[in-house]
Amino acid sequence: MTDTPFSPLTPARIDWQAHTPVASDYDDPYFSRQDGAAESSYVFLQGNRLTERFASLADGDLFVIGETGFGTGLNCLLAAACFLQQAGDGARLHLVSVEKHPLCAEDLRRALAHWPQLAALSDALLAQYPAPAPGFHRLQLHPRVSLTLLYGEAEALWPLFDSPVDAWFLDGFAPACNPDMWQPALFAQLARLSRPGTTLATFTAAGFVRRGLIEAGFTMQKRDGFGHKRHMLVGHWQQSQAPARQSRRQQAIVVGAGLAGATTARALAERGWQVTVLDPAGIASGASGNLAGVVYSTPSAHLTAQNRFYQNSYSQALRWFAQHGFPRHPDEGRLNGVIQHAVDTRQWDKLSQAMASGVWPASLLRPAGDQAVELVGGGYIRPARWCEYLLDHPHIRLRQERITALQEGQPASVTLENGDSLSASAVVLCIAAASLQLPGLHWLPLKQIRGQVSYCRATEASAGWQQARCHGGYLTPALDGLHCVGATFDLHQLEQTPHDEDDRRNLAQLQEYLPTLWQELGGDAIQVADRRAAMRCQSIDFLPLCGPLPVASEHPHRAAAGLYLNLAHGSRGITGTPLCAELLADLISGLPLPVDKPLLDALDPARFIVRKRKKQPRWTP
């Protein structure tokens, strides 16, 4: 086991023997050479009685499967297919699986090609398959089937996951080939996450595995194994059967129709909530309303919570775009990579260290010429079109109303400017620094940063540009014949009237860092056709506030019933909001979360409440 749960990964090395992938480092096949699907179905689906258990699920029921070795994903895909065949339309399945050595995408594609009956689920997996970056990765295999992949050591990552599990697939390479995994510490985690009636199945019948699981609290028994294997093990946690868990699907109010609000509303709607979105100015009227925005991140070799959020949210944003098929055409943008130009030696050293560390694999970050890297899969989109797409859902309705107050409770409520009130089981505030104007929220640790972007008319030379570029600012390919050149960064102005001087600053920065492109855009004759100024909202520790609204006046603090925040995405709103939306929607719905405990704590708005600790707190409400 490593000293930290988050370390660079070593991808799987595969020796293909006929049609069977064999792990070179463990000398063990990923599935039976006789019939991999039949073995997985017998051991894991039948061993956990999934067919009958899925068939008994009622509307709104949640079933969670935990797996200790993802491998080719065969077990999970078979379970998902069985669920979709047996369970009612209102039930949900959540799969959670750990993988220390992820297969490369091509090996995974080759392995899954053997089972065309799983093609729809396999295609969804392949389209969203994460790069080998450590941590939690959330995928959507079907509207009712989610998968959270935990990349790293099983023993290190399971303690960072908290949702109860209903059935375990204790899988991995054979104990003789991979003894480090089959340890009491892992068995203890399986027990911690089990509840009355949780079942377990594994292909092995090794005595020390059976004894270890019994010592952890499972009741175990042998049964006939598959094919040439004499025995396997099945077990359960306690004799009684806990009632099925229900996911919440009620009424929600989302305040704000920008990137944070649109992603939050869509995530809730896809979980069955009826969502009312309130915004007096309509869709994407604030900082989300620029002509183009860049999907990018800030690579680092250091796996702090902040840097892990930047990486995890970047990957999650790319999966959302893949899942939704957005941009749908070039007029909405392109996800063809972002070129990051280092502006000085210090930044280049940071980018070089990120590439060399293994934390940012080449499938996410690669060299792109002199003092530059490419963020693979990133790009540029029209934020307003993205928001419009997300809000176009039968469970979402938009009302152009302003709120003047919040009231906690079950249900929680908002007061509208006209004096009326609306109530819902959950109210999510997504209005950036405008939150400070609401009663009781003046303490939120938010700062506003004015930014102005210049819209420059395309030239014959610039019209052929294909990729967005970041330097001291950013530059996008043309949309509607205009390039976005930006953006200023001003902490000392709060008014949003555009200034000619800010256009000059944007163009001077472009000339300094990308002189060739500045010249292609027209040089001293560049035409600024329009401009737009808006306020970014950022927290004092540069991470969003995502989670329950804490009651700042109480010590120890408590969460305000029914009230939640999704604020302070700064200049990374396109990139950061999908992961925060997933987190909030799962938290509100009572579903397994897409992030680990340390990252959950790092995003929790309550982190700014005074705590008893040796160091001076960063923020005192």
Side-chain angles (χ1 to χ4, degrees), residues 470-493:
C470 296
H471 46 95
Y474 67 92
L475 173 67
T476 69
L479 290 170
D480 297 340
L482 299 175
H483 299 278
C484 289
V485 180
T488 58
F489 194 92
D490 198 328
L491 276 164
H492 305 294
Q493 290 190 49

Side-chain angles (χ1 to χ4, degrees), residues 74-98:
L74 178 59
N75 300 336
C76 284
L77 296 184
L78 287 168
C82 179
F83 172 83
L84 293 173
Q85 184 177 27
Q86 299 294 330
D89 290 343
R92 298 187 68 93
L93 173 66
H94 199 104
L95 304 154
V96 189
S97 185
V98 174

Side-chain angles (χ1 to χ4, degrees), residues 448-478:
Q448 297 187 71
I449 305 166
R450 182 185 181 277
Q452 180 170 315
V453 60
S454 305
Y455 298 153
C456 299
R457 200 172 304 283
T459 65
E460 183 178 352
S462 72
W465 295 346
Q466 298 295 311
Q467 290 179 291
R469 295 175 182 269
C470 296
H471 46 95
Y474 67 92
L475 173 67
T476 69

Side-chain angles (χ1 to χ4, degrees), residues 369 412 435 463:
S435 307

Side-chain angles (χ1 to χ4, degrees), residues 184 187-192 194-198 200 209-220 235-239:
F187 303 154
Q189 288 301 318
L190 305 189
R192 179 182 71 85
S194 296
R195 64 197 198 107
T198 293
L200 179 148
V209 172
R210 182 176 60 82
R211 292 189 295 273
L213 289 167
I214 290 172
E215 289 174 4
F218 288 93
T219 299
M220 302 299 302
H236 63 270
W237 180 261
Q238 299 182 12
Q239 190 62 45

Side-chain angles (χ1 to χ4, degrees), residues 422-437:
L422 297 176
S423 61
S425 298
V427 175
V428 187
L429 207 58
C430 303
I431 52 174
S435 307
L436 298 171
Q437 300 169 17

